[in-house]
Amino acid sequence: MTRIHNTPAQSKALQLIKSGAKYILLYGGSRSGKTRLSMEYIFRMCLKHAGMRVLVARQVYSHAIATLWNQTYKDVASSYLKAYPDQEGFHFKQGEHIVRFFNGSEIILAGLDDKERLEKILGGEYAIIYLNECSMIKYDAILMTKTRLAQKIDGFKNKMLLDENPPSPKHWSYKMFIQNKEPKTEEALDPKEYVHMLMNPKDNLSNLPDDYIETLASLPDREKRRFLYGEFVKIEGAIYDKFDIDTMSIEETALPPMEYYSVGIDNTGNNMAGVLIGWAGNNCYLLEDYAAFRMSMSEFNNTLVTMWSD
């Protein structure tokens, strides 16, 4: 399979993916080739290893279809067909969003917000799990998907590939890959197994429009640092940006009696989140949170009432 142009940085990233590491994070600015590179590697491995199963997921299923299925999948497939016009190596099963290969390998697309489909998908075992835009994925979902990295393929070491435009340094991906610490326990992780590489748009100039770098350079400072330079950037003015789990969290048994409670709700289109706050003296405590997707406001409110009315 050939790509539009394999830059030196992308060649280096590919070698990292092919290394002995099990968990690989590619992070950095926008349009640096992270997604395309991972998908090309996945297609190659599926063609090379008969019966390989691959899970490719984003947080939101509709986003996975729009960006991965309708864009990257088809782009990589087109490159392969141009390079090998006489071979029929795979076909797309549209309704289920599965790519099936002639040798029995398959790539399954998923969204971590689609609980019914996800439960069915996570009943299987996979040799490769690829989590796209993992900055949007909660750590509990990472732990859940890691348990399915269990398919045995002779001559192949199972891998979890992740990519993202870097979020805040408080994010689990920063702790896991940059600091090599387990996000919940802070225990040291093997740096040979958990590896990372920074990839930025300037590493992909030959595949970008002439004015794309200028567009990113014109962004406000925080967005420019994230999408052009690929930096982990603190969120200005955000409450959670000041949160330190070591100094600001306590065991449930140590909570004081609450004088009263309040609920906060954030509704951004199809995404809704709620938090339960307890007040005691001059202190407030974040007790629980709940998020939902594609739920009506009335259903969301009723769910919160059922969960927190006691």
Side-chain angles (χ1 to χ4, degrees):
M1 187 190 305
T2 59
R3 75 177 327 278
I4 298 173
H5 177 70
N6 207 24
T7 69
Q10 289 156 357
S11 295
K12 183 179 177 180
L14 181 58
Q15 292 305 310
L16 188 67
I17 292 174
K18 294 164 65 176
S19 72
K22 187 173 184 178
Y23 305 98
I24 301 101
L25 171 69
L26 302 181
Y27 73 98
S30 174
R31 296 292 304 279
S32 55
K34 302 182 293 294
T35 303
R36 168 79 185 228
L37 188 71
S38 295
M39 284 309 310
E40 286 185 345
Y41 172 78
I42 288 169
F43 266 71
R44 287 193 182 98
M45 292 303 100
C46 285
L47 289 164
K48 181 178 180 180
H49 298 282
M52 175 173 280
R53 286 169 53 84
V54 179
L55 174 63
V56 175
R58 287 192 65 161
Q59 174 59 32
V60 180
Y61 189 35
S62 61
H63 295 176
I65 296 172
T67 60
L68 293 171
W69 183 265
N70 292 336
Q71 296 180 32
T72 309
Y73 273 37
K74 303 296 177 67
D75 190 30
V76 172
S78 177
S79 294
Y80 177 84
L81 294 175
K82 287 179 180 178
Y84 306 101
D86 298 329
Q87 295 187 20
E88 185 177 352
F90 50 84
H91 70 276
F92 291 79
K93 188 163 180 139
Q94 293 287 351
E96 298 181 12
H97 297 107
I98 296 175
V99 183
R100 288 205 166 95
F101 293 77
F102 72 97
N103 60 2
S105 295
E106 60 182 11
I107 304 171
I108 301 171
L109 188 72
L112 301 182
D113 65 321
D114 190 334
K115 293 182 179 180
E116 183 177 343
R117 176 176 167 81
L118 189 61
E119 287 177 2
K120 178 181 178 182
I121 289 171
L122 291 180
E125 297 178 342
Y126 302 91
I128 301 175
I129 295 176
Y130 170 40
L131 300 178
N132 180 239
E133 294 295 348
C134 68
S135 62
M136 305 298 294
I137 298 174
K138 291 185 177 181
Y139 186 56
D140 286 345
I142 300 299
L143 295 177
M144 177 179 60
T145 54
K146 282 175 72 173
T147 65
R148 310 318 301 159
L149 197 62
Q151 185 186 18
K152 181 175 175 55
I153 298 289
D154 291 338
F156 182 81
K157 179 176 180 178
N158 292 354
K159 293 182 180 291
M160 177 177 279
L161 310 179
L162 309 96
D163 66 33
E164 66 180 357
N165 298 126
S168 161
K170 298 292 186 181
H171 195 259
W172 61 261
S173 61
Y174 184 86
K175 293 181 179 180
M176 178 181 284
F177 289 97
I178 309 303
Q179 297 180 328
N180 282 134
K181 294 181 180 180
E182 204 289 323
K184 286 191 173 182
T185 66
E186 299 286 321
E187 293 180 5
L189 297 174
D190 186 351
K192 294 181 180 179
E193 288 279 32
Y194 292 83
V195 300
H196 64 275
M197 179 175 166
L198 172 64
M199 297 177 67
N200 278 331
K202 289 184 178 180
D203 299 322
N204 193 33
L205 287 177
S206 59
N207 298 318
L208 296 176
D210 293 339
D211 61 350
Y212 189 70
I213 298 298
E214 294 179 12
T215 300
L216 296 182
S218 67
L219 294 173
D221 181 66
R222 181 180 180 277
E223 286 74 16
K224 179 167 61 178
R225 289 170 59 195
R226 185 182 179 201
F227 294 108
L228 179 58
Y229 303 128
E231 298 178 12
F232 286 84
V233 182
K234 292 183 178 181
I235 302 174
E236 296 179 2
I239 295 173
Y240 286 122
D241 185 52
K242 298 177 175 63
F243 180 77
D244 188 316
I245 193 170
D246 294 320
T247 61
M248 299 178 69
S249 62
I250 63 174
E251 296 294 333
E252 185 176 357
T253 54
L255 285 170
M258 298 297 155
E259 299 170 13
Y260 61 97
Y261 299 88
S262 58
V263 173
I265 295 177
D266 183 17
N267 179 7
T268 56
N270 287 328
N271 297 287
M272 285 173 286
V275 292
L276 176 65
I277 305 294
W279 301 84
N282 294 324
N283 297 321
C284 65
Y285 298 85
L286 173 60
L287 303 176
E288 291 187 38
D289 69 315
Y290 177 75
F293 182 72
R294 292 177 182 168
M295 183 182 288
S296 69
M297 179 56 74
S298 61
E299 185 181 0
F300 184 73
N301 288 339
N302 290 336
T303 300
L304 297 187
V305 170
T306 301
M307 291 172 55
W308 298 337
S309 60
D310 293 338

